Amino acid sequence: MSGEKIPFDIHEAVERLRKAVVPLPKAALFDLYDQGYTSLFEQLLACLISIRTFDEVTVPTALRLFKLGRTPEAISALTPEQIDEAIRACTYHEAKSFQILTIAQTIQQKYQGELPCDFEVLTSFRGVGPKCANLALGIACGQPRIGVDIHVHRITNRWGYVQKKTPENTLLALETQLPKMYWVEINRLLVPFGKHICTGNLPKCSACVLLDMCQQVDVKKHR
Ligand code: SF4
């Protein structure tokens, strides 16, 4: 299925992807950032809401929560029921409402109301894994970090750029070979690209801007 290919060039790929995603809906966290929800606390809560939840649901759900409060101080003054009511549309909303309240209270008590840009601190919170920590730190704090979700994992493997079976190992591989300047941007590009072009089933290879350099690893059928 791979046919005549030119060698994969990450700089050229990013260049083409930047143009390809312009008409597509933005990834949820980047969308919220562009709407002014730029703090680490807001980005972290939005990422928690996004777990197992579509972007189309994540953005309005996060906005409902932020109407009640945008700071650890404001959120920690809410009841779990108020938070749950605001985020009811997302998956696992009940568990997430307790996690959100605990995070806000912990920041108030342990960090004087200011969430530090620190990976260890973020991943010490229940429900926050490396993906959310990296995404929030990359977007809100400007740290070079790669948010590897299912889209980044699937697509970089299809390219043949990495050959890893799990998102965790894809992250390690990308950290050694992806130029640092793309560490935050790769998620911003590959989430919309993965949802609309390089989809899990039947990717739209025939209309893809990367067809001439993508190895289409494990792509058995495509559009
Ligand atoms: S859509 Fe096809 S050609 Fe494009 S990146 Fe995905 S697998 Fe490669």
Side-chain angles (χ1 to χ4, degrees), residues 81-208:
E81 291 75 24
Q82 284 175 302
I83 300 174
D84 189 42
E85 175 61 31
I87 67 166
R88 189 161 287 274
C90 74
T91 311
Y92 308 136
H93 54 85
E94 203 177 340
K96 288 177 182 176
S97 64
F98 280 100
Q99 288 163 358
I100 287 169
L101 183 58
T102 306
I103 288 172
Q105 289 171 339
T106 308
I107 298 168
Q108 284 297 95
Q109 289 155 13
K110 268 178 89 174
Y111 304 105
Q112 293 75 48
E114 197 63 48
L115 180 57
C117 290
D118 185 316
F119 182 84
E120 305 302 327
V121 171
L122 266 59
T123 50
S124 73
F125 296 131
R126 209 157 149 217
V128 178
K131 184 199 84 171
C132 274
N134 279 350
L135 268 176
L137 289 167
I139 298 170
C141 301
Q143 292 185 0
R145 292 187 173 274
I146 310 172
V148 175
D149 64 359
I150 198 64
H151 298 292
V152 174
H153 170 61
R154 180 181 69 250
I155 297 166
T156 53
N157 275 275
R158 279 180 174 168
W159 289 345
Y161 189 64
V162 298
Q163 297 90 33
K164 298 295 171 192
K165 297 262 182 268
T166 64
E168 292 74 25
N169 286 333
T170 292
L171 171 61
L172 295 176
L174 287 175
E175 281 175 345
T176 65
Q177 66 189 97
L178 182 67
K180 259 195 175 162
M181 63 181 124
Y182 303 137
W183 281 22
V184 176
E185 190 179 11
I186 196 83
N187 185 282
R188 183 180 75 77
L189 295 172
L190 294 192
V191 170
F193 185 70
K195 284 171 68 179
H196 298 277
I197 297 166
C198 192
T199 47
N201 286 322
L202 295 176
K204 294 181 185 166
C205 297
S206 57
C208 177

Side-chain angles (χ1 to χ4, degrees), residues 32-43:
L32 287 164
Y33 186 92
D34 290 346
Q35 291 188 46
Y37 300 92
T38 57
S39 76
L40 179 59
F41 181 65
E42 289 167 328
Q43 286 289 314

Side-chain angles (χ1 to χ4, degrees), residues 30-58:
F30 293 92
D31 188 353
L32 287 164
Y33 186 92
D34 290 346
Q35 291 188 46
Y37 300 92
T38 57
S39 76
L40 179 59
F41 181 65
E42 289 167 328
Q43 286 289 314
L44 185 66
L45 297 199
C47 195
L48 258 182
I49 289 169
S50 80
I51 294 170
R52 306 248 168 203
T53 301
F54 291 118
D55 279 0
E56 299 73 32
V57 176
T58 296

